[in-house]
Amino acid sequence: MNTPHGPEQVPHDPRTDVSVRFALRSPARLKTELLAGLVVALALIPEAIAFSVIAGVDPRVGLFASVTMAITIAIVGGRPAMISAATAAVALVIAPVSEQYGVDHLIATVILGGVFQVLLSFLGVAKLMRFVPRSVMVGFVNSLAILVFVAQIPHLVDVPWMVYPLVAAGLLVLVFLPRITEAVPAPLVTIVLLTVVTVAFSLNVPDVADQGELPESLPTLFFPDVPLTFETLRILAPYALAMALVGLMESLMTAKLVDDITDTRSDKTREGWGQGVANIVTGFFGGMGGCAVVGQTMMNVKVSGARTRLSTLAAGVFLLILVVALGDIVGLVPMAALVAVMIMVSIATVDWHSVHPRTLRLMPLSETVVMVVTVVATVSTGNLAIGVSLGVLTAMVLFARRVAHMTTVERTLTSDDTCTYRVTGELFWASSNDLVFQFDYIGDPENVVVDLTAADIWDASTVATFDAIQQKYAAKGKTVTIVGLDGASLERLRRLSGRLGGEN
């Protein structure tokens, strides 16, 4: 909902959930949250079915996972309005388990993965988000937009020609309806309108029912039938750990993205262990697990304007009602309507400013390279976690290279028997390795002073370099005195010097 001064500001305190109480007291906000949840629920159905196929399980497994993930994370998660459900990233990781060992082992892997997520979160893995640079975040956002768009292409290839005018009509509604009124979310109007047109004119176009069989009963408690042995743990642990890491990375990145969009701060540690709890609950209800689903989260937050946990809870509840009680009606929704909505989500998700020619001219080349690496890696692998990891690695390497080139060495002959080398810069493995070649071991006088007043020592590689310098001078009968260090740099030199091996 918008006010005359812009988007309605929903007060939020992650410790007390002021936002939920605000939504319950505000009929307009309550309507926004519930309708947003309904739209998200409709959009989750075909994707949950598709991800079930990827994981090699029955569509019910993916649908029940989306229901239980959304409802649980709405209660225990740390980022209000974020949607968690079955995802392609998790499906790809656990698919080999289902293929080789069966569904029971897959469910056990999901539960174990949830346990790992809880443990990792309490060990502080969420704090690693501070090391994700802005250029990687921008690449993540643009990659997400591309993946969401690419995911719609199969629904536009080898389909009846009527699909195309339906998608075009849906896009027109999504673009122009918000300019007229925001009383009802444009995505919901699009879905209802195209469904009515399709049914009224008996159009032969693909619909939700064509994607897979919908469940007819509520999910029940499920205990995987696997041997409780060390051998089972040995088999499942690698897959469970991979699932935990992928799920946490995608969820925490999405949480940070929602933080930026809503200009609020979320509890990343709570979100991390909340994802673990949600996967444990999902596993015991026979679901395939999941994590934050970025496309539907953008639909919920950016397109529909949701801001509280109610939208996430509503998405889970509505999804359960739709697939169990109203499955026949939901099956009539044309895929063209959902494709139109997701195309609009992808367009709205792109950070257009980041790809504007003027921005690219102003941006340092290294920043652009990091963004491009993130996008290319993500789109080529279809895995946001891989793209983000490679983007962060690229940023680290480029940063180390840039800082390494800022190190300088100046030589001054202070007397007939003494010369001083003044080293300036941050000394670590990338910047200190070449230092050993910047000293005149033969031509220098008997006493050499290395002044590190304008430098800092950050790692053992630098200490080893200074050890090597001292050894080279000692071989020529000369002495080296290192001065100017204090604090942690001095303590690091004293603790490690002469103890790293390689002495003559």
Side-chain angles (χ1 to χ4, degrees):
M1 175 183 176
N2 289 339
T3 68
H5 304 289
E8 180 184 22
Q9 296 299 311
V10 180
H12 169 66
D13 182 339
R15 294 167 298 179
T16 60
D17 265 332
V18 173
S19 59
V20 173
R21 296 202 297 270
F22 176 82
L24 292 175
R25 293 197 306 266
S26 169
R29 171 49 53 184
L30 181 61
K31 182 189 72 172
T32 298
E33 300 296 315
L34 294 178
L35 291 180
L38 178 58
V39 173
V40 168
L42 288 166
L44 282 173
I45 294 173
E47 289 203 355
I49 295 174
F51 299 152
S52 299
V53 174
I54 292 175
V57 296
D58 189 277
R60 295 178 180 84
V61 178
L63 289 166
F64 286 157
S66 294
V67 169
T68 51
M69 285 291 297
I71 292 176
T72 306
I73 206 65
I75 299 169
V76 301
R79 174 62 263 178
M82 193 168 78
I83 305 297
S84 291
T87 60
V90 170
L92 287 169
V93 172
I94 62 177
V97 179
S98 174
E99 181 180 350
Q100 297 179 42
Y101 303 102
V103 175
D104 286 276
H105 281 74
L106 180 141
I107 301 302
T109 302
V110 170
I111 295 171
L112 182 59
V115 173
F116 282 151
Q117 287 179 326
V118 172
L119 294 176
L120 289 170
S121 298
F122 283 120
L123 289 174
V125 70
K127 295 178 181 178
L128 296 178
M129 286 301 298
R130 72 182 68 178
F131 297 107
V132 178
R134 179 185 178 278
S135 51
V136 173
M137 194 68 200
V138 171
F140 170 81
V141 171
N142 292 337
S143 302
L144 161 64
I146 295 172
L147 289 177
V148 169
F149 180 81
V150 169
Q152 311 315 310
I153 293 178
H155 301 294
L156 297 173
V157 178
D158 293 330
V159 294
W161 69 269
M162 273 304 299
V163 168
Y164 304 110
L166 285 174
V167 171
L171 290 173
L172 290 174
V173 173
L174 290 165
V175 170
F176 291 105
L177 182 61
R179 302 181 183 182
I180 302 172
T181 178
E182 293 187 347
V184 181
L188 181 59
V189 173
T190 301
I191 292 170
V192 173
L193 181 61
L194 294 189
T195 301
V196 170
V197 170
T198 301
V199 173
F201 292 94
S202 301
L203 300 179
N204 183 24
V205 294
D207 53 29
V208 171
D210 296 328
Q211 306 304 305
E213 185 179 356
L214 299 179
E216 298 177 352
S217 61
L218 296 173
T220 57
L221 283 175
F222 177 86
F223 295 92
D225 183 16
V226 297
L228 299 179
T229 63
F230 179 79
E231 179 63 17
T232 301
L233 179 64
R234 185 190 64 80
I235 293 172
L236 302 185
Y239 297 102
L241 182 59
M243 171 195 158
L245 293 173
V246 168
L248 282 176
M249 183 177 295
E250 193 155 334
S251 298
L252 294 176
M253 288 292 291
T254 306
K256 189 174 186 300
L257 178 59
V258 177
D259 288 354
D260 294 339
I261 293 173
T262 60
D263 197 25
T264 57
R265 187 176 181 180
S266 60
D267 186 338
K268 302 299 187 301
T269 297
R270 177 176 173 179
E271 181 60 40
W273 64 256
Q275 290 289 333
V277 171
N279 274 304
I280 293 171
V281 171
T282 296
F284 280 119
F285 276 95
M288 57 178 278
C291 62
V293 54
V294 280
Q296 276 70 19
T297 295
M298 291 299 98
M299 179 188 297
N300 193 48
V301 175
K302 202 164 187 178
V303 179
S304 298
R307 292 292 183 271
T308 77
R309 298 177 185 275
L310 287 180
S311 59
T312 308
L313 179 63
V317 173
F318 280 137
L319 178 59
L320 183 61
I321 295 172
L322 289 172
V323 299
V324 174
L326 303 175
D328 292 339
I329 297 176
V330 172
L332 299 175
V333 175
M335 289 302 299
L338 299 177
V339 168
V341 171
M342 296 309 293
I343 289 176
M344 186 56 63
V345 168
S346 68
I347 294 172
T349 301
V350 174
D351 186 342
W352 294 105
H353 177 72
S354 69
V355 295
H356 192 282
R358 182 169 55 188
T359 304
L360 294 175
R361 285 195 300 269
L362 294 174
M363 193 69 64
L365 179 60
S366 60
E367 301 282 323
T368 302
V369 168
V370 170
M371 181 184 73
V372 171
V373 167
T374 304
V375 171
V376 171
T378 301
V379 173
S380 60
T381 63
N383 191 319
L384 288 164
I386 293 176
V388 170
S389 299
L390 290 178
V392 171
L393 180 61
T394 302
M396 292 171 58
V397 171
L398 292 178
F399 175 76
R401 181 175 180 272
R402 186 164 61 249
V403 173
H405 289 167
M406 297 172 66
T407 302
T408 61
V409 179
E410 297 179 3
R411 180 180 182 273
T412 304
L413 190 63
T414 54
S415 66
D416 290 342
D417 64 345
T418 304
C419 78
T420 299
Y421 285 89
R422 181 177 176 83
V423 181
T424 302
E426 303 303 314
L427 303 177
F428 62 109
W429 54 269
S431 61
S432 63
N433 285 337
D434 289 338
L435 278 181
V436 71
F437 303 111
Q438 299 188 43
F439 292 80
D440 186 357
Y441 303 102
I442 297 176
D444 283 343
E446 293 182 0
N447 299 310
V448 177
V449 176
V450 180
D451 185 357
L452 299 179
T453 303
D456 291 295
I457 293 178
W458 290 104
D459 61 3
S461 295
T462 303
V463 176
T465 296
F466 282 114
D467 283 351
I469 291 170
Q470 290 176 313
Q471 290 166 20
K472 288 180 180 294
Y473 276 115
K476 302 291 188 296
K478 302 174 183 181
T479 60
V480 177
T481 304
I482 297 176
V483 300
L485 286 178
D486 59 10
S489 294
L490 179 59
E491 192 278 332
R492 193 170 288 119
L493 182 67
R494 287 175 174 172
R495 186 177 74 251
L496 298 177
S497 182
R499 298 179 173 86
L500 297 174
E503 293 88 355
N504 293 328

